[in-house]
Amino acid sequence: MDYNGGKIVPKDFNTTDQENCCSGMPLLGLLGEVDISRLTGREREVLHLLGVASSNMRIAHRLGISERTVKKHVANILEKLGLSSRLEAALVAIVQHDLVCLQ
């Protein structure tokens, strides 16, 4: 590890690695613009649990529903929000935590 400009980086880390590593950062800004108002209350609950890395089985147990229903909710969330993976959904839950967790 080297100390480089206030950052600790591996010795074999080069500028190409840095460019590739940081190229996805604008995605976080875009995820903050996703309109979650189209989600039902139950879909928001599922989205919140995705944001804390819960598995489908754990979500099903926590909400008292079947795993198949959880999978359907996840699919609906992805479709409504225009996302391509549950990871993106989890990031939306984190970036928009205050909106997802409205009580």
Side-chain angles (χ1 to χ4, degrees):
M1 295 289 205
D2 284 337
Y3 186 75
N4 178 11
K7 298 177 184 175
I8 298 174
V9 296
K11 288 183 187 246
D12 59 349
F13 191 82
N14 61 45
T15 55
T16 304
D17 293 330
Q18 185 175 3
E19 290 166 5
N20 292 336
C21 174
C22 298
S23 65
M25 294 306 289
L27 177 63
L28 290 179
L30 294 176
L31 293 176
E33 297 173 10
V34 171
D35 181 14
I36 64 167
S37 68
R38 300 179 60 207
L39 301 180
T40 66
R42 181 61 94 183
E43 289 166 347
R44 282 183 190 222
E45 288 178 292
V46 171
L47 181 60
H48 168 73
L49 292 170
L50 289 174
V52 294
S54 296
S55 66
N56 287 349
M57 183 184 299
R58 186 165 180 92
I59 293 170
H61 180 75
R62 176 97 184 255
L63 300 179
I65 59 178
S66 72
E67 278 189 76
R68 184 175 179 184
T69 302
V70 172
K71 289 178 184 180
K72 183 63 177 165
H73 285 311
V74 171
N76 289 342
I77 290 166
L78 297 179
E79 183 179 338
K80 287 180 179 181
L81 301 183
L83 304 173
S84 59
S85 69
R86 67 188 286 133
L87 174 60
E88 287 181 358
L91 290 172
V92 167
I94 293 166
V95 171
Q96 295 196 26
H97 180 266
D98 293 342
L99 296 175
V100 172
C101 290
L102 288 177
Q103 300 293 327

